[in-house]
């Protein structure tokens, strides 16, 4: 929605089952699009899997007899939440001529704190100004980008048969009342293959919850391709949505029959990837199988003519990740230690005894390590096998905590302000210091990059620049060149006190802030604000946080603390990791 709002201030375009929060609190249900500065918190954390699924809770309003001009405008902004038939529900609030002329195409602004101010009035006409807080921009493909600032628009109303209606030219596009949006839309993860085809990447989309079959909507999103933000990081297998047609019906067994036309150009690899992204996208939306998939009148794959299940595409399960037996490690007094219930044991090799380790990362399989160590002239990045020798691959004055990419042979770090990627080939040789274009970070956040972490699927980055957390996409060009694109502020209710961050899944980041108010927060890539996690018994400052789908570790003034589950129940407070208390330890877990 390029024109609506007239004077939207800076930042407008700066830019649930499988939302894999570690301990997402109940407050997120009520504040999923809160535009305020404060961070929602709760003292009752629950794993996301225990939250009840929600159906649509409110239909959009319809015009009522005797409505005042202000009430009519407010209900118009609620009715715009229904996109059906070119926003026919909202057009009921317009005169016939205004309804026929209104161009509702483009992005929609999600607005909060709406004020409707009267400028002029007569017995049969009103002129009002709508002023609101801009909290997000919803693209036509369901991608939501967080926004900030104020938006203002002028509307004229006239009396038609004794009832007020909006008349005259309307700004192009749509504004949606935030409260109505949260009750009418749900987020669903749609998946697309990585360029290598060995994993699926989540692309969260917001879908109108009361608008037709969810299965149809999910399939349409898959066929329509990735969002513009994620597109440079994935490799859609379809020849193009314009050439593909799909119909979805229920089967007698309770599954879905998916019939496609226009898939003739897909080879065997493409068909397998297409099946995987379809199945996992439908499964994430709680749409059960088996899934009978046909391509141009024949089974997509003869082996699964009777239907596919998630087990048939288990190798591309986006929620799975290798579980390392490494467990928790910590950096203490410059050395890397393994943590048991009662003791700290140094790892083998120089990292366990050198006394110079500043930061470290361990690969997902627990076999490789990357570390930043102190030298007589500055710092160096070393790579190697955990418990073995290491090799220096870069040096500089300041090197950020390293991060493994999508595999154990790719490591990222920021060396003296330059984002760099290092790759180790089959022989063990390291291709060092490939510069990664990252100008987008400086465009949205001033200051040095003090942290940069790559998501476990290798598609996104989370970074801290000048204390401000930002998200970006790892874009791979046709010639193999890699850059960071789509960089945006992670959320506008965080501020500039972020000290540390870590990906807990492909779409969720946990952060530590230098503040006593919500020192641990969580952000997802779906465009919603940050949410505070349990922090009542932490002792600020919290200097570091790492985590995965089930457990968080934080370093505060006492030592390292753990938040996860005990005996299958979510912890109600952070638990001290005994051997680290009073040691100034920094937690490290396998990525």
């Amino acid at each position: 929605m390029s024109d609506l709002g007239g004077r939207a201030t800076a930042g407008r375009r700066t830019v649930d089952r499988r939302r894999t929060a570690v301990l997402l609190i109940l407050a997120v249900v009520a504040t999923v699009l809160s535009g305020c500065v404060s961070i929602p918190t709760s003292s009752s954390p629950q794993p996301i899997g225990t939250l009840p699924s929600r159906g649509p809770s409110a239909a959009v309003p319809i015009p009522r007899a005797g409505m005042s001009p202000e009430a009519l405008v407010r209900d118009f902004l609620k009715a715009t939440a229904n996109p059906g038939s070119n926003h026919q529900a909202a057009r009921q609030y317009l005169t016939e001529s205004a309804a026929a002329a209104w161009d509702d195409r483009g992005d929609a602004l999600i607005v909060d704190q709406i004020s409707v101010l009267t400028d002029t009035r007569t017995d049969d006409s009103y002129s009002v100004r709508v002023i609101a807080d801009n909290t997000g921009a919803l693209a036509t493909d369901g991608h939501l980008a967080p926004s900030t600032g104020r938006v203002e628009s002028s509307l004229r109303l006239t009396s038609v048969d004794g009832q007020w209606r909006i008349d005259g030219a309307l700004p192009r596009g749509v504004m949606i009342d935030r409260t109505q949006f949260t009750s009418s839309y749900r987020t669903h993860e749609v998946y697309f293959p990585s360029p290598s085809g060995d994993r699926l990447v989540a692309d969260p989309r917001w879908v109108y919850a009361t608008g037709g079959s969810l299965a149809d909507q999910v399939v349409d999103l898959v066929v329509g391709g990735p969002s513009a933000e994620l597109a440079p990081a994935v490799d859609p297998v379809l020849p193009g949505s314009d050439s593909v047609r799909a119909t979805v019906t229920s089967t007698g067994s309770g599954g879905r029959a998916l019939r496609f036309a226009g898939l003739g150009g897909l080879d065997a690899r493409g068909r397998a990837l297409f099946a995987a992204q379809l199945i996992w996208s439908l499964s994430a939306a709680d749409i059960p199988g088996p899934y009978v998939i046909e391509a141009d009148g024949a089974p997509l794959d003869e082996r699964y003519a009777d239907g596919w299940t998630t087990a048939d595409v288990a190798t591309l399960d986006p929620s799975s990740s290798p579980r390392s037996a490494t467990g928790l490690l910590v950096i203490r007094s410059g050395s890397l230690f393994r943590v048991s219930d009662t003791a700290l044991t140094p790892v083998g090799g120089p990292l366990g005894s050198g006394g110079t380790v500043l930061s470290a990362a361990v690969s997902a399989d627990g076999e490789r390590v990357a570390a930043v160590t102190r030298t007589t002239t500055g710092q160096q990045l070393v790579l190697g096998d955990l418990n073995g020798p290491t090799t220096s691959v870069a040096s500089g004055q300041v090197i950020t905590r390293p991060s493994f990419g999508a595999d154990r042979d790719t490591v990222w770090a920021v060396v003296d302000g330059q984002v760099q990627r290092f790759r180790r080939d089959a022989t063990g040789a390291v291709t060092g210091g490939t510069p990664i274009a990252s100008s987008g970070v400086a465009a949205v956040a001033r200051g040095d990059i003090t942290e940069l972490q790559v998501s476990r699927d290798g598609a996104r980055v989370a970074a801290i620049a000048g204390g401000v957390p930002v998200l970006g996409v790892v874009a791979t060009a046709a010639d193999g060149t890699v850059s960071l694109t789509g960089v945006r502020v992670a959320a506008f209710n965080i501020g500039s006190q972020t000290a540390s961050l870590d990906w807990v899944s492909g779409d969720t980041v946990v952060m530590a802030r230098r503040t006593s108010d919500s020192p641990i927060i969580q952000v997802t890539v779906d465009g919603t604000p940050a949410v505070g996690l349990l922090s009542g018994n932490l002792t600020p400052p919290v200097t570091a946080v790492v985590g995965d789908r089930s457990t968080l570790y934080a370093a505060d003034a006492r030592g390292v603390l753990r938040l996860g589950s005990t005996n299958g129940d979510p912890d109600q407070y952070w638990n001290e990791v005994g051997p680290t208390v009073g040691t100034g330890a920094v937690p490290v877990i396998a990525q």
Side-chain angles (χ1 to χ4, degrees), residues 379-404:
Q379 298 177 6
Q380 66 175 346
L381 175 66
V382 299
L383 307 181
D385 293 333
L386 190 62
N387 299 310
T390 60
T391 301
S392 176
V393 297
S395 59
Q397 293 303 302
V398 179
I399 303 176
T400 63
R401 177 168 69 105
S403 172
F404 282 89

Side-chain angles (χ1 to χ4, degrees), residues 30 157 226 260 284 334 390 500 522 589:
L157 292 88
F260 296 90
T390 60
S500 172
Q522 178 177 279
I589 63 171

Side-chain angles (χ1 to χ4, degrees), residues 2 22 41 93 98 110 116 136 166 179 190 207 216 240 258 278 303 332 337 375 378 394 427 433 482 509 536 565:
S2 59
V22 175
T41 58
Y93 291 83
I110 313 302
V116 181
I166 299 170
T179 302
V190 182
V207 172
D216 288 337
L258 315 173
L278 272 174
R303 293 174 298 172
R332 191 197 70 175
F337 293 82
T375 68
T427 69
V482 176
V509 183
S565 61

